[in-house]
Amino acid sequence: MLEKLFRLKEHGTSVRREIVAGCTTFMTLSYIIFVQPVLLSMAGMNPGAVMVATCLSSAGATILMAFMTNYPVALAPGMGINAYFVFDVCQELNLPWEQALGIVFISGMLFVILSFVGLRAAVMNALPSSLNNAIAVGIGLFITFIGLQMSGIITLHPQTFVQLGDFHSIPVLISIFGILIIVTLLAHRVKGAILMGILATTIPYIIYRIVVAEPDETVFSGIVKTPPSIAPTLFQLQFPDIFNKVELIPIIFVFFSVDMFDSIGTLTATGHEADLLEDGKLSKGRQALLTDAIGSVGGACLGTTTVTCYIESASGIAEGGRTGLTSLVTGILMLLALFFTPLIEIVGGGFDIDKSDPNNILLYPIIGPALIVVGGLFLKDIVNINWDDFTEAIPAALTVIMMPLSFSITDGIAFGFISISFLKIVTGRSKEVNVLVHYFAVFFIARYIGFA
């Protein structure tokens, strides 16, 4: 049956090899199960429901990919765009998370439509390559900065704004230990390095809380139990009035474009690694992008952020995964992860370092190191920026710098759009960028002035 479904011999693989590949992919990307509830809880969402929504949407989209395309590609809520959802859309714009999910749904539906009608090439050309890579790098720095704060390695300073944290603090030392474990495993190319680092850091964290910090409280309540209810987030999305709130239109574009470019880049890279390209193209590229889009729509309905193809799928491909059976195994493991709620609650739990201090900072010494490393891995795209052309390099640099310093992905993108539009116009090269870039530049300027 598996041979008929996935044509294993045709792709030069076996059931055993595909199962190993599927397990490897799961180990590599399953850190999102721990990270997503923590981040989205900062927007007011129920972490237990978010965990269930994350597992279900990831499993559903990945299994759909297996049968629609027979590709060894897994999907899950994307890193970076989840931070944009929390810090820019929900916190900065003060938009309820229900309406933010509505925007994710709208952007997903746009992706579905474009996947059907084949207009994705036009959308791809709307964003200059250097700016697209700069956005990825900026988001990486932003995520890393968040991780440094959550770990306590970087803290507030009244004059210089930021400073090194207290390296005598045990939670901070646990965070540093977690970073060292993860980067060591990554350097040795260990599959599932981030997940293993999270689990390894959990042990001293639990011991510290039981023995030193909270000896009278129940910290550890087991590993396996019935999954929590998804009711707090299931179909709770609401649709904002985007026609009377024009400032929401660029947000839809950001969700849509990030998902689009991430998916196309990941599919191209993994397709090349798995020898799935025919004349440089994926024969089932449209079905793969449609699966991605359906995953985002389904994720918004369940209660999580944009679901996209994961570059971590390359780890399973490196283990020999060549067909959808790899994706099927990954999807099934995502479903089984639903029953490990107690472990996820421990890993994602914040820790009050001084409850008596009104300025007390809540630390996340297990999740913080994972964010630092994941964000750092985003920086690889910096080499794809055209640094020899100042009309490309300066907007890219502003985009990268402004995201973490303004603590806003939106502002980083805005500075990039405004500067590239301005420089292309004053150098007589305005036609080198899509007219949408100039439109959004004008919109962002109006937004800063106060007209939008």
Side-chain angles (χ1 to χ4, degrees), residues 44 74 95 113 136 145 164 181 193 199 216 226 246 249 268 296 335 367 375 379 390 420 450:
L95 197 70
I113 294 170
F145 188 46
L164 281 178
I181 289 292
L199 297 177
D216 298 327
T226 304
V246 293
I249 295 177
T268 301
S296 291
L335 292 176
I367 294 299
L379 304 186
F390 286 123
I420 197 169

Side-chain angles (χ1 to χ4, degrees), residues 200-242:
T201 312
T202 301
I203 298 172
Y205 178 63
I206 292 175
I207 294 173
Y208 168 69
R209 290 186 63 177
I210 292 176
V211 176
V212 180
E214 300 172 349
D216 298 327
E217 299 183 22
T218 302
V219 176
F220 183 71
S221 59
I223 296 177
V224 180
K225 75 174 183 181
T226 304
S229 172
I230 195 177
T233 61
L234 182 63
F235 294 116
Q236 296 299 312
L237 70 167
Q238 300 173 3
F239 298 103
D241 187 0
I242 60 176

Side-chain angles (χ1 to χ4, degrees), residues 40 65 74 134 141 195 228 281 297 335 358:
L40 268 59
M65 179 71 78
L141 283 178
L195 176 63
K281 298 180 181 179
V297 172
L335 292 176

Side-chain angles (χ1 to χ4, degrees), residues 271-285:
H272 182 270
E273 290 294 324
D275 297 322
L276 299 174
L277 298 179
E278 298 177 9
D279 298 325
K281 298 180 181 179
L282 287 168
S283 60
K284 294 184 178 179

Side-chain angles (χ1 to χ4, degrees), residues 39 77-85 139-140 142-143 258 374 378 409:
L39 285 180
M79 286 296 298
I81 199 65
N82 51 7
Y84 176 75
F85 177 96
I139 289 175
F142 185 62
I143 293 173
V258 169
V374 170
F378 276 55
I409 296 173

Side-chain angles (χ1 to χ4, degrees), residues 12-61:
T13 185
S14 65
V15 173
R16 180 184 179 279
R17 186 180 299 172
E18 294 291 301
I19 291 175
V20 171
C23 292
T24 302
T25 297
F26 171 78
M27 289 286 290
T28 309
L29 63 78
S30 56
Y31 65 86
I32 192 64
I33 303 173
F34 300 94
V35 174
Q36 190 76 343
V38 174
L39 285 180
L40 268 59
S41 66
M42 296 179 182
M45 299 180 69
N46 181 285
V50 170
M51 188 275 288
V52 176
T54 298
C55 290
L56 290 179
S57 61
S58 302

Side-chain angles (χ1 to χ4, degrees), residues 223-372:
I223 296 177
V224 180
K225 75 174 183 181
T226 304
S229 172
I230 195 177
T233 61
L234 182 63
F235 294 116
Q236 296 299 312
L237 70 167
Q238 300 173 3
F239 298 103
D241 187 0
I242 60 176
F243 297 104
N244 291 324
K245 294 182 179 180
V246 293
E247 68 271 15
L248 299 181
I249 295 177
I251 296 174
I252 296 174
F253 178 77
V254 170
F255 277 115
F256 171 82
S257 60
V258 169
D259 191 14
M260 170 74 78
F261 289 109
D262 273 0
S263 301
I264 292 173
T266 299
L267 286 169
T268 301
T270 54
H272 182 270
E273 290 294 324
D275 297 322
L276 299 174
L277 298 179
E278 298 177 9
D279 298 325
K281 298 180 181 179
L282 287 168
S283 60
K284 294 184 178 179
R286 180 175 295 188
Q287 294 93 319
L289 288 172
L290 178 60
T291 301
D292 185 292
I294 293 172
S296 291
V297 172
C301 293
L302 291 169
T304 193
T305 51
T306 305
V307 173
T308 187
C309 298
Y310 256 56
I311 193 60
E312 283 83 353
S313 303
S315 64
I317 292 172
E319 290 294 325
R322 292 295 182 270
T323 73
L325 182 54
T326 295
S327 300
L328 178 62
V329 171
T330 303
I332 291 172
L333 291 174
M334 274 290 185
L335 292 176
L336 293 176
L338 285 168
F339 298 94
F340 291 86
T341 308
L343 180 61
I344 292 170
E345 288 174 348
I346 292 172
V347 170
F351 180 73
D352 291 298
I353 55 174
D354 186 359
K355 295 180 181 179
S356 63
D357 184 358
N359 297 317
N360 171 58
I361 298 173
L362 193 65
L363 296 185
Y364 296 85
I366 303 178
I367 294 299
L371 290 178
I372 293 168

